[in-house]
Amino acid sequence: MMMDFVLLGFSDTPNLQWILFGVFLFIYLTVLMCNSIIILITKIDPVLHTPMYFFLGNFSFLEVCYVTVTIPRMLMDLWTQKGHILFLACATQMCFVLMLGSTECLLLTVMAYDRYVAICNPLHYSLVMNHRVCSQLVAASWISTIPPVIGQTWQIFSLPFCASHTINHFFCDIPPILKLACGDTFVNEIAVCVAAVVIVMVPFLLIVVSYGKIICNISKLSSARGRSKAFSTCSSHLTVVVLFYGTAFFSYLQPKPNQSEGMGKLISLFYTVFIPTLNPIIYTLRNKDIMMALRKLLAKLLA
């Protein structure tokens, strides 16, 4: 028999419910607006019709999907003061969070590879990173995550659950769901760790290798201006990588006993809410081409 769950969310701070609702609503609208602008300008501005901005547009679309899986549900729970969620809805939410998070790992790796080719092999860049290859890399980032994530979700929700059906979290994440399972969950925890190593650590190591080669190549440039320009094209992506992988590491690769429920909730807030809010700001403020495209768009709208 399928049981339903109750998401506690932020019920331990009843006096802050409406403040939190306002804050998360503002964040959600900001993420939607900023990423939609990036998607729009990378489509309409010919200057941004390059592989780097093609990947950035896809990354922005991914961020919109990512926050939409968690924040609207969180807003509804804050508004109704109830956290009731159906078994199937809980499994679906977890599946999408894992799938989109895994896709983000792969897409960040693809973006690092793009920068590697642009800086370390510039003469063959247009040949290597043609539109067909870029489309295939993006499609692979999305599609390859689906089978393992569905398998992982099915494995977790096939477990027998105890009498308690209260999840001390604001969305259906793996650690709080496993805490509700009856019996030994050791095999499931090992499976989660293996999946995290493959999906999180392998792409991270590929990014480290790419940037290792990029830094070596940049250091050989004789022109200080050339080095500065090369670093500036990578700095935004590198900042996003550090933020995303830092929180993912603490959330999924940290031993279970070392992580309190409160700390787990706080870390999850960072990678599901705050980092997607910062990402478009990081990419926009540190990129002259995007700022120029924004000015042109505003000039057209105000003309």
Side-chain angles (χ1 to χ4, degrees):
M1 180 183 174
M2 289 195 302
M3 59 183 284
D4 297 338
F5 298 104
V6 175
L7 291 164
L8 290 181
F10 304 97
S11 56
D12 53 340
T13 55
N15 297 330
L16 297 175
Q17 297 288 297
W18 293 111
I19 295 172
L20 289 172
F21 179 87
V23 169
F24 290 132
L25 179 61
F26 174 76
I27 286 172
Y28 184 55
L29 294 176
T30 301
V31 172
L32 290 184
M33 183 183 72
C34 292
N35 283 293
S36 296
I37 289 170
I38 290 174
I39 293 166
L40 178 65
I41 61 175
T42 54
K43 288 287 185 186
I44 65 172
D45 196 313
V47 176
L48 303 182
H49 290 173
T50 64
M52 183 171 79
Y53 296 112
F54 172 73
F55 293 133
L56 181 57
N58 277 277
F59 185 75
S60 294
F61 174 71
L62 175 67
E63 292 290 64
V64 169
C65 296
Y66 196 44
V67 295
T68 301
V69 173
T70 54
I71 298 183
R73 172 80 220 187
M74 196 194 315
L75 291 172
M76 187 181 79
D77 291 342
L78 286 167
W79 180 269
T80 61
Q81 307 285 304
K82 298 173 184 176
H84 181 265
I85 184 168
L86 298 173
F87 183 93
L88 187 59
C90 190
T92 303
Q93 186 185 49
M94 179 188 285
C95 187
F96 274 102
V97 168
L98 294 176
M99 186 182 75
L100 294 167
S102 303
T103 301
E104 186 158 342
C105 290
L106 297 178
L107 201 51
L108 285 171
T109 309
V110 167
M111 293 166 83
Y113 175 68
D114 170 65
R115 291 299 81 210
Y116 160 73
V117 177
I119 293 169
C120 299
N121 199 5
L123 297 178
H124 297 96
Y125 179 67
S126 57
L127 184 67
V128 175
M129 299 303 291
N130 60 61
H131 184 70
R132 184 184 171 189
V133 169
C134 292
S135 299
Q136 287 173 341
L137 287 170
V138 168
S141 298
W142 282 88
I143 296 167
S144 62
T145 63
I146 296 172
V149 164
I150 289 176
Q152 185 90 67
T153 307
W154 179 84
Q155 185 187 41
I156 289 169
F157 281 87
S158 296
L159 290 167
F161 291 97
C162 302
S164 174
H165 58 285
T166 303
I167 304 169
N168 190 9
H169 216 297
F170 57 89
F171 74 97
C172 293
D173 201 6
I174 292 176
I177 294 290
L178 282 179
K179 285 181 180 178
L180 301 183
C182 293
D184 188 12
T185 59
F186 177 75
V187 173
N188 301 91
E189 288 170 31
I190 292 297
V192 169
C193 283
V194 170
V197 167
V198 173
I199 295 170
V200 178
M201 290 304 294
V202 172
F204 179 69
L205 290 173
L206 290 172
I207 291 171
V208 169
V209 170
S210 296
Y211 273 103
K213 292 187 176 183
I214 287 169
I215 291 165
C216 286
N217 198 274
I218 290 173
S219 64
K220 292 175 185 176
L221 296 174
S222 55
S223 165
R225 187 179 176 184
R227 286 197 297 270
S228 176
K229 187 178 179 182
F231 271 121
S232 70
T233 64
C234 301
S235 59
S236 299
H237 178 256
L238 203 52
T239 305
V240 170
V241 166
V242 170
L243 286 171
F244 178 78
Y245 276 98
T247 51
F249 174 81
F250 278 109
S251 184
Y252 289 105
L253 297 179
Q254 190 181 19
K256 188 178 173 184
N258 294 350
Q259 193 181 94
S260 67
E261 288 180 336
M263 182 57 71
K265 207 183 291 188
L266 182 62
I267 292 168
S268 297
L269 265 180
F270 267 94
Y271 74 80
T272 58
V273 177
F274 296 126
I275 291 175
T277 310
L278 290 173
N279 286 349
I281 298 167
I282 292 166
Y283 275 112
T284 304
L285 295 179
R286 299 180 66 88
N287 192 298
K288 291 178 182 177
D289 291 337
I290 288 183
M291 292 302 289
M292 187 65 71
L294 275 173
R295 289 192 193 101
K296 284 196 282 185
L297 179 62
L298 285 172
K300 283 182 184 178
L301 293 173
L302 297 173

